Amino acid sequence: MSTPTPTEGRAAPEPIKAVPVRHPGRWIAAAVLLVLAAMFVNMLVTNDKFNWPFLLENMFSPPVLYGVWTTLKLTVLAMAVGISLGIAVAVMRLSGNPILAGLAWVYTWFFRAVPRLVLCVLFGNMGILYQNLELGLPFDNYWMPALGLDGDARFYSVPMNEVLTPFMAALLALALSQGAYMAEIVRAGLLSVDKGQTEAAQALGMGRGLILRRITLPQALRVIVPPTGNEVTAMLKDTSLVSAIPLTTELFFQLQAIGNRTFDLFPMLVAACLWYLAITSLLMVGQFFLERSFTRGDRSAQAEVTIMQSKAGH
Amino acid sequence: MSATAGGEDASTRAGDLPQAPGDDVMVLAENVHKSFGRLEVLRGIDLEVRRGEVMCVVGPSGSGKSTFLRCINHLEKINGGRLWVNGRLMGYRQHGGRLYELRDSQVAAQRRDIGMVFQAFNLFPHMSVLGNVVEAPVRVKREPRAAARETAMELLDKVGLADKAASFPRQLSGGQQQRVAIARALAMRPELMLFDEPTSALDPELVGEVLDVMKDLAREGMTMVVVTHEMGFAREVGDSLVFMDGGVVVESGAPKRVLTDPQHERTRAFLSKVL
C-alpha cells in the first residue's frame, strides 16, 4: 500500500469545462411575465380612469401632506407608547407577583382579541359613555346621600370631548393594541436569554431591576428588534384604520375625501398605495441597517477570531 | 472541619432553633434538605467550612453537590434545616423563635460577599471583559468607576488576562473566559468563593490554567468550596474533601485520607471509577 503523496509540487489540474444544465422553463416563464408586464404598463398609460395629472396634482396638496405628517406622528407615538407598555407588561407577566402577572394576562388577552378597527371606533365613541372625565372618590352617588350629604365628591372634571380628541382616541386605540403585541415580543425576548445570565448576576448581588436593565433586557434586544421593525411597518399601515373614528387629518381619510368630493376616487386610492409604498420602503431600509448594527458585535468578533487564527497559522 | 451523614432521625423542633455559629466558621449547614417537587435532592446535609479552608466536594452526578453549592448563596431555597454564611442565616431572619423570609433586595445584599464561578462561565456577552469585571462593583457597591477599573485591571492581571480587557467574551477561549469569571467574582471582594465544576466545560489542555488561578487564590487564604471532578486538585490544594452521594454526605476528612483510605463502600466504588 502506498500512502498518497502530498500535493505539494504537483501541477494544479486544469479548471473543469462542462456544458451547464439548461433551464428552458425559466426562459418561458420570463417571456410570459414580460408580456403580462407590458399589458399592465399599457393599461396604466392608456386607461384614462387613472387620471395621472389629477393624481399628481392632489398627491402633494397641502392637506394630503399634512395627512402624511399625521400618519407619521401617529405611527411614532403609538409605537413609542406601545413599546414602553409592552416592556412593562412583559416584566409584569414574568414577575413573581401573581396580581401583576394576572393583570398583564388580562390586558394582553383583551387587546389581542379585539380587532384594531373595532378598538378605533370604540375609543372614538367613548364620549357616549361619559360626558365628563372626573376625578373623585368612587361610588359617591351612593354613599353621599346615604350619609345625608349634598353634592358630590368629585374634585376635578373636564369635558370628555376635550380629552378624547379624535387624535387621542386613535393614539389610545393603536398604542394599547400595540402594547399587547409588544408584550408578547418582549416576553419572548426575555425568555430567550440564558438562565445562567440571571444567576451570574444574582450571585454578584445584583437586584431584580438592575438585572433586567443591565443584563437581560440588553441581551433580549437582539430577539426583540427584528419583529419590532415589522410591527412599525404594520403600524404605519394600520393608521389608515383611524379614518373610521374619524380622524380627519389622517392620510387615507384625506385622499378618500378628495376622491369623494371630486367623484374621481380611483386615482386617490392609487395615491394612497403609492404613499404607503414609499414610506414603508423607507422604513424597510431603516430596519435593514438597524438589524445589521445589532448583529455587528457578532460579526466583528467572528472576523477578529478568523484574523487571529490566520496569524497563528503562519 | 466536621461533617456527618444526614440523619433521618433529626427533626426540627419548634422553639429550639439552632444558634449562629462562631466567628471562625464561614459556612455552617445543619440538616439541610432540598427537594424539587417530589424529588429529594438533599436529604440532610451537615457540614462546616472554617475561615480560610478549601473544601472540595466530589461525588457522582445527581448526588446533589451542585445543588448544595447553590443553596449556600441562596440561588436555591432550602426546604429544611439551617444554612449560615459568615454568621448570617441565608435567606431568612430569625426573630423570636420564628423565621421570616428576606426580601429580594436583602438576599441580594447577602450574596455580595459570596463569589460564585459557574461551569458554563456565564459571562455577560454584551459587555467587554473589563465591563464584566467592573459591572457589579460600580452598580451594586457604587464604587467610583475609575477606582473599580483600577481594581479590575489588577484582578485581570492576576488571572493573566490584562491584555484582554477590551475583548468580548466570545473572542476568548473557554479557559480565558473562566479566568475572567473568577476575576469578576473577586471584584466584589468576596469572603467566600463557590466553584461549581469550574473546569468541567473546558478542553483538557485548558484545565490547568484555571486550576492554577484557583491554587493561587487558595494560597492567599481565600475560603473556597469547590465542586469538582479534579481529584489531583482536591489532593494538592484541598484542606478537606467531602464525598456526597444520594443527597447526603457519605464521607469526609482530609483529602489524602479519603482518597487513599476510603471508609465507605460507596466512596470506594466511586473512587475506583474516577481515579
Side-chain angles (χ1 to χ4, degrees):
Chain A
M1 294 293 280
S2 66
T3 52
T5 51
T7 51
E8 238 176 307
R10 275 171 75 186
E14 256 180 65
I16 290 174
K17 277 181 211 139
V19 180
V21 176
R22 304 291 180 201
H23 298 285
R26 291 181 190 173
W27 288 100
I28 297 168
V32 170
L33 283 176
L34 210 63
V35 172
L36 286 174
M39 287 167 71
F40 182 68
V41 171
N42 181 54
M43 176 193 69
L44 289 182
V45 175
T46 58
N47 194 329
D48 57 3
K49 290 285 185 294
F50 278 104
N51 202 349
W52 293 106
F54 172 72
L55 184 149
L56 285 176
E57 181 192 331
N58 285 290
M59 197 174 154
F60 300 101
S61 66
V64 173
L65 288 179
Y66 189 75
V68 172
W69 164 239
T70 308
T71 290
L72 289 175
K73 199 164 62 174
L74 202 53
T75 305
V76 170
L77 287 176
M79 280 312 292
V81 176
I83 291 171
S84 319
L85 257 175
I87 293 174
V89 172
V91 170
M92 281 163 65
R93 184 81 187 273
L94 294 175
S95 77
N97 185 329
I99 294 170
L100 290 181
L103 205 63
W105 186 86
V106 170
Y107 166 79
T108 321
W109 166 74
F110 181 83
F111 282 100
R112 288 211 308 172
V114 180
R116 277 193 181 167
L117 180 59
V118 178
L119 280 178
C120 286
V121 180
L122 185 74
F123 277 84
N125 289 288
M126 210 60 106
I128 295 171
L129 216 50
Y130 293 104
Q131 296 279 301
N132 298 303
L133 189 64
E134 294 170 324
L135 202 67
L137 298 176
F139 295 115
D140 57 345
N141 49 335
Y142 296 118
W143 57 261
M144 296 276 288
L147 294 175
L149 297 166
D150 283 333
D152 57 28
R154 298 168 195 198
F155 321 120
Y156 179 76
S157 167
V158 270
M160 198 63 163
N161 57 9
E162 270 179 34
V163 186
L164 209 67
T165 58
F167 186 84
M168 212 48 200
L171 180 59
L172 270 178
L174 293 177
L176 286 172
S177 156
Q178 189 59 41
Y181 287 100
M182 283 311 300
E184 291 300 289
I185 292 173
V186 173
R187 191 164 76 100
L190 287 173
L191 289 176
S192 78
V193 178
D194 181 35
K195 214 168 159 283
Q197 292 291 310
T198 307
E199 288 183 352
Q202 283 178 326
L204 287 166
M206 294 169 80
R208 254 174 204 283
L210 196 58
I211 295 174
L212 179 76
R213 211 170 68 241
R214 297 286 305 170
I215 309 298
T216 40
L217 200 52
Q219 293 185 61
L221 279 185
R222 53 175 52 251
V223 174
I224 294 172
V225 166
T228 304
N230 293 337
E231 292 292 311
V232 176
T233 317
M235 176 59 81
L236 180 93
K237 294 181 292 179
D238 281 355
T239 55
S240 61
L241 296 175
V242 306
S243 60
I245 286 180
L247 176 59
T248 54
T249 52
E250 175 266 340
L251 173 64
F252 186 53
F253 189 96
Q254 279 300 328
L255 287 166
Q256 254 186 317
I258 296 171
N260 289 334
R261 200 170 59 234
T262 57
F263 298 106
D264 203 357
L265 181 61
F266 197 77
M268 292 301 96
L269 298 180
V270 175
C273 288
L274 292 176
W275 265 119
Y276 286 117
L277 266 174
I279 306 173
T280 317
S281 305
L282 276 178
L283 285 176
M284 281 162 78
V285 173
Q287 189 183 355
F288 171 77
F289 283 105
L290 188 67
E291 279 181 30
R292 207 175 61 165
S293 80
F294 261 90
T295 50
R296 186 175 288 155
D298 282 337
R299 285 190 305 131
S300 67
Q302 200 52 52
E304 197 162 320
V305 169
T306 321
I307 290 165
M308 272 161 46
Q309 281 166 346
S310 67
K311 270 183 190 160
H314 284 298
Chain B
M1 145 78 230
S2 73
T4 51
E8 279 78 24
D9 54 329
S11 59
T12 336
R13 292 167 295 268
D16 183 18
L17 290 162
Q19 292 306 301
D23 255 3
D24 56 338
V25 177
M26 182 58 84
V27 180
L28 178 64
E30 284 185 349
N31 198 17
V32 168
H33 281 256
K34 169 74 192 171
S35 32
F36 294 108
R38 290 166 64 189
L39 179 71
E40 265 200 304
V41 184
L42 301 179
R43 301 187 295 144
I45 304 283
D46 292 278
L47 53 77
E48 185 181 298
V49 184
R50 305 202 151 264
R51 216 169 269 279
E53 179 177 335
V54 176
M55 176 186 281
C56 293
V57 183
V58 300
S61 60
S63 60
K65 52 194 193 308
S66 283
T67 303
F68 176 66
L69 198 73
R70 292 159 58 82
C71 286
I72 295 179
N73 68 351
H74 210 64
L75 280 183
E76 303 288 354
K77 228 183 189 146
I78 63 177
N79 302 119
R82 296 286 186 276
L83 219 161
W84 281 274
V85 175
N86 212 359
R88 287 177 310 191
L89 197 59
M90 281 308 287
Y92 300 94
R93 188 164 50 84
Q94 200 167 300
H95 185 71
R98 291 194 70 167
L99 283 188
Y100 297 86
E101 268 184 23
L102 293 184
R103 299 183 163 280
D104 283 345
S105 56
Q106 294 169 314
V107 175
Q110 284 190 330
R111 289 195 185 113
R112 276 172 209 176
D113 43 9
I114 307 173
M116 186 163 190
V117 175
F118 298 84
Q119 181 178 351
F121 327 136
N122 294 344
L123 291 179
F124 305 134
H126 57 303
M127 296 179 186
S128 70
V129 163
L130 187 64
N132 266 275
V133 183
V134 159
E135 180 68 13
V138 169
R139 304 271 165 186
V140 177
K141 277 193 167 175
R142 307 234 163 256
E143 280 180 29
R145 189 167 282 273
R149 271 167 174 268
E150 207 170 304
T151 320
M153 286 312 294
E154 280 167 24
L155 287 169
L156 285 173
D157 192 43
K158 184 172 155 170
V159 300
L161 290 170
D163 57 327
K164 296 287 184 194
S167 305
F168 279 80
R170 61 183 109 230
Q171 295 166 266
L172 305 181
S173 72
Q176 290 171 330
Q177 289 192 48
Q178 194 60 298
R179 285 187 280 154
V180 173
I182 294 173
R184 177 176 70 175
L186 291 176
M188 288 297 278
R189 296 177 226 276
E191 297 198 51
L192 168 68
M193 284 286 285
L194 307 174
F195 291 86
D196 188 6
E197 304 199 23
T199 57
S200 296
L202 296 178
D203 290 338
E205 78 271 22
L206 302 177
V207 169
E209 60 188 66
V210 173
L211 291 183
D212 286 343
V213 170
M214 290 167 63
K215 281 176 200 167
D216 285 346
L217 211 52
R219 250 175 245 129
E220 287 166 20
M222 175 65 77
T223 314
M224 295 159 62
V225 179
V226 186
V227 171
T228 186
H229 294 294
E230 297 291 330
M231 298 302 160
F233 176 83
R235 182 194 298 264
E236 188 188 338
V237 185
D239 298 309
S240 57
L241 184 70
V242 170
F243 173 68
M244 277 178 71
D245 193 13
V248 293
V249 172
V250 174
E251 187 167 356
S252 64
K256 280 197 188 69
R257 208 272 300 150
V258 177
L259 289 173
T260 51
D261 181 27
Q263 301 297 304
H264 283 72
E265 188 48 47
R266 281 195 282 181
T267 321
R268 272 197 286 275
F270 174 73
L271 290 177
S272 71
K273 282 180 206 147
V274 296
L275 284 181

